[in-house]
mmCIF file of all heavy atoms in Angstrom:
data_model
loop_
_atom_site.group_PDB
_atom_site.id
_atom_site.type_symbol
_atom_site.label_atom_id
_atom_site.label_comp_id
_atom_site.label_asym_id
_atom_site.label_seq_id
_atom_site.Cartn_x
_atom_site.Cartn_y
_atom_site.Cartn_z
ATOM 1 N N VAL C 246 131.527 45.388 71.077
ATOM 2 C CA VAL C 246 131.514 46.231 72.272
ATOM 3 C C VAL C 246 131.919 45.373 73.465
ATOM 4 O O VAL C 246 131.366 44.283 73.674
ATOM 5 C CB VAL C 246 130.110 46.850 72.496
ATOM 6 C CG1 VAL C 246 130.070 47.591 73.843
ATOM 7 C CG2 VAL C 246 129.746 47.785 71.361
ATOM 8 N N GLN C 247 132.911 45.865 74.215
ATOM 9 C CA GLN C 247 133.307 45.192 75.462
ATOM 10 C C GLN C 247 133.375 46.263 76.534
ATOM 11 O O GLN C 247 134.277 47.094 76.548
ATOM 12 C CB GLN C 247 134.671 44.518 75.319
ATOM 13 C CG GLN C 247 134.631 43.273 74.453
ATOM 14 C CD GLN C 247 135.991 42.610 74.334
ATOM 15 O OE1 GLN C 247 136.942 43.021 75.004
ATOM 16 N NE2 GLN C 247 136.052 41.577 73.514
ATOM 17 N N GLY C 248 132.374 46.275 77.438
ATOM 18 C CA GLY C 248 132.323 47.304 78.478
ATOM 19 C C GLY C 248 132.159 48.672 77.851
ATOM 20 O O GLY C 248 131.203 48.907 77.118
ATOM 21 N N THR C 249 133.142 49.557 78.055
ATOM 22 C CA THR C 249 133.055 50.904 77.487
ATOM 23 C C THR C 249 134.003 51.063 76.310
ATOM 24 O O THR C 249 134.347 52.165 75.923
ATOM 25 C CB THR C 249 133.420 51.958 78.554
ATOM 26 O OG1 THR C 249 134.736 51.658 79.023
ATOM 27 C CG2 THR C 249 132.426 51.955 79.696
ATOM 28 N N SER C 250 134.424 49.911 75.757
ATOM 29 C CA SER C 250 135.339 49.963 74.622
ATOM 30 C C SER C 250 134.715 49.296 73.394
ATOM 31 O O SER C 250 133.788 48.493 73.505
ATOM 32 C CB SER C 250 136.650 49.227 74.946
ATOM 33 O OG SER C 250 137.271 49.844 76.030
ATOM 34 N N PHE C 251 135.245 49.686 72.230
ATOM 35 C CA PHE C 251 134.838 49.054 70.976
ATOM 36 C C PHE C 251 136.096 48.497 70.328
ATOM 37 O O PHE C 251 137.074 49.224 70.091
ATOM 38 C CB PHE C 251 134.167 50.077 70.068
ATOM 39 C CG PHE C 251 133.677 49.490 68.773
ATOM 40 C CD1 PHE C 251 132.491 48.760 68.729
ATOM 41 C CD2 PHE C 251 134.415 49.649 67.610
ATOM 42 C CE1 PHE C 251 132.047 48.211 67.540
ATOM 43 C CE2 PHE C 251 133.961 49.093 66.417
ATOM 44 C CZ PHE C 251 132.773 48.377 66.391
ATOM 45 N N ILE C 252 136.103 47.177 70.087
ATOM 46 C CA ILE C 252 137.286 46.537 69.531
ATOM 47 C C ILE C 252 137.052 46.279 68.043
ATOM 48 O O ILE C 252 136.092 45.597 67.674
ATOM 49 C CB ILE C 252 137.565 45.177 70.193
ATOM 50 C CG1 ILE C 252 137.277 45.214 71.683
ATOM 51 C CG2 ILE C 252 138.975 44.684 69.865
ATOM 52 C CD1 ILE C 252 138.330 45.830 72.536
ATOM 53 N N SER C 253 137.904 46.848 67.183
ATOM 54 C CA SER C 253 137.802 46.591 65.739
ATOM 55 C C SER C 253 139.195 46.326 65.199
ATOM 56 O O SER C 253 140.126 47.081 65.501
ATOM 57 C CB SER C 253 137.194 47.806 65.040
ATOM 58 O OG SER C 253 137.133 47.566 63.652
ATOM 59 N N GLU C 254 139.346 45.259 64.411
ATOM 60 C CA GLU C 254 140.654 44.883 63.850
ATOM 61 C C GLU C 254 141.705 44.791 64.947
ATOM 62 O O GLU C 254 142.865 45.168 64.739
ATOM 63 C CB GLU C 254 141.081 45.917 62.794
ATOM 64 C CG GLU C 254 140.085 46.153 61.679
ATOM 65 C CD GLU C 254 140.211 45.121 60.555
ATOM 66 O OE1 GLU C 254 141.255 44.447 60.470
ATOM 67 O OE2 GLU C 254 139.245 44.976 59.785
ATOM 68 N N GLY C 255 141.295 44.340 66.128
ATOM 69 C CA GLY C 255 142.256 44.162 67.205
ATOM 70 C C GLY C 255 142.662 45.438 67.918
ATOM 71 O O GLY C 255 143.525 45.425 68.791
ATOM 72 N N VAL C 256 142.046 46.552 67.566
ATOM 73 C CA VAL C 256 142.376 47.818 68.218
ATOM 74 C C VAL C 256 141.212 48.228 69.102
ATOM 75 O O VAL C 256 140.050 48.117 68.708
ATOM 76 C CB VAL C 256 142.649 48.916 67.169
ATOM 77 C CG1 VAL C 256 142.964 50.233 67.848
ATOM 78 C CG2 VAL C 256 143.775 48.489 66.245
ATOM 79 N N SER C 257 141.515 48.694 70.305
ATOM 80 C CA SER C 257 140.450 49.038 71.243
ATOM 81 C C SER C 257 140.284 50.555 71.317
ATOM 82 O O SER C 257 141.229 51.285 71.630
ATOM 83 C CB SER C 257 140.795 48.465 72.630
ATOM 84 O OG SER C 257 139.901 48.965 73.576
ATOM 85 N N PHE C 258 139.056 51.020 70.992
ATOM 86 C CA PHE C 258 138.754 52.449 71.088
ATOM 87 C C PHE C 258 137.851 52.679 72.287
ATOM 88 O O PHE C 258 136.925 51.882 72.522
ATOM 89 C CB PHE C 258 138.013 52.932 69.834
ATOM 90 C CG PHE C 258 138.820 52.800 68.574
ATOM 91 C CD1 PHE C 258 138.714 51.653 67.783
ATOM 92 C CD2 PHE C 258 139.681 53.812 68.162
ATOM 93 C CE1 PHE C 258 139.441 51.534 66.619
ATOM 94 C CE2 PHE C 258 140.409 53.691 66.999
ATOM 95 C CZ PHE C 258 140.299 52.553 66.217
ATOM 96 N N ALA C 259 138.085 53.762 73.019
ATOM 97 C CA ALA C 259 137.183 54.097 74.130
ATOM 98 C C ALA C 259 135.912 54.688 73.548
ATOM 99 O O ALA C 259 135.968 55.547 72.659
ATOM 100 C CB ALA C 259 137.858 55.107 75.043
ATOM 101 N N LEU C 260 134.734 54.195 74.012
ATOM 102 C CA LEU C 260 133.469 54.774 73.546
ATOM 103 C C LEU C 260 133.268 56.113 74.243
ATOM 104 O O LEU C 260 133.593 56.255 75.428
ATOM 105 C CB LEU C 260 132.310 53.832 73.864
ATOM 106 C CG LEU C 260 132.245 52.564 72.998
ATOM 107 C CD1 LEU C 260 131.206 51.596 73.551
ATOM 108 C CD2 LEU C 260 131.938 52.916 71.563
ATOM 109 N N PRO C 261 132.745 57.121 73.550
ATOM 110 C CA PRO C 261 132.538 58.424 74.188
ATOM 111 C C PRO C 261 131.578 58.287 75.372
ATOM 112 O O PRO C 261 130.713 57.397 75.373
ATOM 113 C CB PRO C 261 131.904 59.265 73.083
ATOM 114 C CG PRO C 261 132.112 58.534 71.831
ATOM 115 C CD PRO C 261 132.318 57.101 72.155
ATOM 116 N N ALA C 262 131.716 59.162 76.348
ATOM 117 C CA ALA C 262 130.851 59.117 77.520
ATOM 118 C C ALA C 262 129.393 59.227 77.106
ATOM 119 O O ALA C 262 129.050 59.996 76.203
ATOM 120 C CB ALA C 262 131.212 60.261 78.465
ATOM 121 N N GLY C 263 128.549 58.454 77.744
ATOM 122 C CA GLY C 263 127.120 58.528 77.447
ATOM 123 C C GLY C 263 126.676 57.541 76.391
ATOM 124 O O GLY C 263 125.479 57.400 76.140
ATOM 125 N N THR C 264 127.610 56.835 75.734
ATOM 126 C CA THR C 264 127.230 55.824 74.742
ATOM 127 C C THR C 264 126.863 54.537 75.494
ATOM 128 O O THR C 264 127.669 54.017 76.252
ATOM 129 C CB THR C 264 128.391 55.518 73.790
ATOM 130 O OG1 THR C 264 128.944 56.753 73.344
ATOM 131 C CG2 THR C 264 127.921 54.698 72.620
ATOM 132 N N VAL C 265 125.640 54.091 75.267
ATOM 133 C CA VAL C 265 125.197 52.892 75.971
ATOM 134 C C VAL C 265 124.933 51.804 74.949
ATOM 135 O O VAL C 265 124.207 52.032 73.984
ATOM 136 C CB VAL C 265 123.901 53.146 76.771
ATOM 137 C CG1 VAL C 265 123.694 52.016 77.768
ATOM 138 C CG2 VAL C 265 123.960 54.487 77.468
ATOM 139 N N ALA C 266 125.554 50.653 75.148
ATOM 140 C CA ALA C 266 125.274 49.532 74.254
ATOM 141 C C ALA C 266 125.574 48.234 74.971
ATOM 142 O O ALA C 266 126.514 48.173 75.774
ATOM 143 C CB ALA C 266 126.137 49.648 73.003
ATOM 144 N N PRO C 267 124.781 47.214 74.741
ATOM 145 C CA PRO C 267 125.067 45.924 75.343
ATOM 146 C C PRO C 267 126.325 45.352 74.719
ATOM 147 O O PRO C 267 126.637 45.656 73.564
ATOM 148 C CB PRO C 267 123.832 45.084 74.974
ATOM 149 C CG PRO C 267 123.299 45.724 73.741
ATOM 150 C CD PRO C 267 123.620 47.175 73.845
ATOM 151 N N PRO C 268 127.064 44.551 75.460
ATOM 152 C CA PRO C 268 128.259 43.952 74.890
ATOM 153 C C PRO C 268 127.908 43.017 73.728
ATOM 154 O O PRO C 268 126.773 42.516 73.667
ATOM 155 C CB PRO C 268 128.885 43.184 76.054
ATOM 156 C CG PRO C 268 127.899 43.203 77.167
ATOM 157 C CD PRO C 268 126.809 44.162 76.861
ATOM 158 N N GLY C 269 128.848 42.801 72.825
ATOM 159 C CA GLY C 269 128.622 41.906 71.695
ATOM 160 C C GLY C 269 128.937 42.593 70.386
ATOM 161 O O GLY C 269 129.319 43.767 70.369
ATOM 162 N N PRO C 270 128.815 41.864 69.253
ATOM 163 C CA PRO C 270 129.165 42.423 67.943
ATOM 164 C C PRO C 270 128.264 43.596 67.549
ATOM 165 O O PRO C 270 127.040 43.540 67.767
ATOM 166 C CB PRO C 270 128.972 41.235 66.991
ATOM 167 C CG PRO C 270 128.281 40.180 67.743
ATOM 168 C CD PRO C 270 128.391 40.473 69.207
ATOM 169 N N HIS C 271 128.870 44.636 67.027
ATOM 170 C CA HIS C 271 128.149 45.825 66.598
ATOM 171 C C HIS C 271 128.846 46.420 65.375
ATOM 172 O O HIS C 271 130.006 46.099 65.084
ATOM 173 C CB HIS C 271 128.152 46.896 67.691
ATOM 174 C CG HIS C 271 127.102 46.702 68.731
ATOM 175 N ND1 HIS C 271 127.261 45.840 69.782
ATOM 176 C CD2 HIS C 271 125.874 47.256 68.880
ATOM 177 C CE1 HIS C 271 126.187 45.862 70.547
ATOM 178 N NE2 HIS C 271 125.317 46.721 70.013
ATOM 179 N N THR C 272 128.097 47.302 64.687
ATOM 180 C CA THR C 272 128.732 48.145 63.673
ATOM 181 C C THR C 272 128.795 49.549 64.247
ATOM 182 O O THR C 272 127.778 50.068 64.712
ATOM 183 C CB THR C 272 127.921 48.141 62.369
ATOM 184 O OG1 THR C 272 127.803 46.786 61.930
ATOM 185 C CG2 THR C 272 128.609 48.967 61.310
ATOM 186 N N LEU C 273 129.993 50.127 64.214
ATOM 187 C CA LEU C 273 130.157 51.467 64.752
ATOM 188 C C LEU C 273 130.265 52.454 63.593
ATOM 189 O O LEU C 273 130.996 52.226 62.631
ATOM 190 C CB LEU C 273 131.404 51.528 65.621
ATOM 191 C CG LEU C 273 131.739 52.888 66.249
ATOM 192 C CD1 LEU C 273 132.288 52.690 67.656
ATOM 193 C CD2 LEU C 273 132.737 53.661 65.400
ATOM 194 N N VAL C 274 129.486 53.549 63.686
ATOM 195 C CA VAL C 274 129.537 54.577 62.661
ATOM 196 C C VAL C 274 130.025 55.858 63.293
ATOM 197 O O VAL C 274 129.489 56.306 64.306
ATOM 198 C CB VAL C 274 128.146 54.781 62.032
ATOM 199 C CG1 VAL C 274 128.157 56.018 61.149
ATOM 200 C CG2 VAL C 274 127.738 53.555 61.228
ATOM 201 N N VAL C 275 131.084 56.423 62.727
ATOM 202 C CA VAL C 275 131.577 57.694 63.239
ATOM 203 C C VAL C 275 131.862 58.619 62.063
ATOM 204 O O VAL C 275 132.518 58.242 61.093
ATOM 205 C CB VAL C 275 132.838 57.490 64.122
ATOM 206 C CG1 VAL C 275 133.925 56.732 63.381
ATOM 207 C CG2 VAL C 275 133.356 58.822 64.635
ATOM 208 N N ARG C 276 131.298 59.829 62.124
ATOM 209 C CA ARG C 276 131.550 60.814 61.066
ATOM 210 C C ARG C 276 132.993 61.241 61.071
ATOM 211 O O ARG C 276 133.616 61.309 62.134
ATOM 212 C CB ARG C 276 130.709 62.056 61.348
ATOM 213 C CG ARG C 276 129.327 61.926 60.877
ATOM 214 C CD ARG C 276 128.552 63.191 61.068
ATOM 215 N NE ARG C 276 127.162 62.801 61.102
ATOM 216 C CZ ARG C 276 126.549 62.233 60.085
ATOM 217 N NH1 ARG C 276 127.205 62.039 58.958
ATOM 218 N NH2 ARG C 276 125.311 61.857 60.180
ATOM 219 N N SER C 277 133.496 61.585 59.904
ATOM 220 C CA SER C 277 134.917 61.942 59.850
ATOM 221 C C SER C 277 135.192 63.207 60.672
ATOM 222 O O SER C 277 136.291 63.359 61.187
ATOM 223 C CB SER C 277 135.372 62.104 58.402
ATOM 224 O OG SER C 277 134.402 62.767 57.655
ATOM 225 N N GLU C 278 134.171 64.105 60.787
ATOM 226 C CA GLU C 278 134.432 65.303 61.596
ATOM 227 C C GLU C 278 134.396 65.007 63.090
ATOM 228 O O GLU C 278 134.760 65.843 63.918
ATOM 229 C CB GLU C 278 133.461 66.440 61.244
ATOM 230 C CG GLU C 278 131.994 66.145 61.415
ATOM 231 C CD GLU C 278 131.303 65.760 60.107
ATOM 232 O OE1 GLU C 278 131.952 65.060 59.291
ATOM 233 O OE2 GLU C 278 130.137 66.143 59.915
ATOM 234 N N ASP C 279 133.924 63.787 63.475
ATOM 235 C CA ASP C 279 133.914 63.407 64.888
ATOM 236 C C ASP C 279 135.125 62.559 65.276
ATOM 237 O O ASP C 279 135.199 62.046 66.394
ATOM 238 C CB ASP C 279 132.625 62.636 65.210
ATOM 239 C CG ASP C 279 131.414 63.550 65.172
ATOM 240 O OD1 ASP C 279 131.577 64.755 65.449
ATOM 241 O OD2 ASP C 279 130.312 63.073 64.852
ATOM 242 N N VAL C 280 136.067 62.383 64.346
ATOM 243 C CA VAL C 280 137.297 61.664 64.677
ATOM 244 C C VAL C 280 138.329 62.696 65.139
ATOM 245 O O VAL C 280 138.611 63.653 64.427
ATOM 246 C CB VAL C 280 137.829 60.888 63.451
ATOM 247 C CG1 VAL C 280 139.138 60.190 63.797
ATOM 248 C CG2 VAL C 280 136.791 59.898 62.967
ATOM 249 N N VAL C 281 138.842 62.498 66.377
ATOM 250 C CA VAL C 281 139.788 63.466 66.943
ATOM 251 C C VAL C 281 141.199 62.884 66.843
ATOM 252 O O VAL C 281 141.434 61.735 67.221
ATOM 253 C CB VAL C 281 139.431 63.750 68.410
ATOM 254 C CG1 VAL C 281 140.398 64.799 68.993
ATOM 255 C CG2 VAL C 281 137.992 64.231 68.508
ATOM 256 N N LEU C 282 142.111 63.664 66.327
ATOM 257 C CA LEU C 282 143.495 63.198 66.173
ATOM 258 C C LEU C 282 144.402 63.927 67.160
ATOM 259 O O LEU C 282 144.166 65.070 67.528
ATOM 260 C CB LEU C 282 143.999 63.483 64.753
ATOM 261 C CG LEU C 282 143.239 62.822 63.607
ATOM 262 C CD1 LEU C 282 143.949 63.106 62.289
ATOM 263 C CD2 LEU C 282 143.108 61.319 63.832
ATOM 264 N N GLY C 283 145.410 63.230 67.615
ATOM 265 C CA GLY C 283 146.490 63.884 68.359
ATOM 266 C C GLY C 283 146.196 64.138 69.822
ATOM 267 O O GLY C 283 146.999 64.767 70.509
#
Side-chain angles (χ1 to χ4, degrees):
Chain C
V246 173
Q247 287 181 7
T249 58
S250 299
F251 182 78
I252 322 280
S253 178
E254 305 276 342
V256 179
S257 171
F258 297 93
L260 288 170
T264 313
V265 195
H271 277 82
T272 303
L273 179 142
V274 170
V275 55
R276 277 184 203 297
S277 41
E278 59 262 37
D279 290 331
V280 178
V281 182
L282 299 185

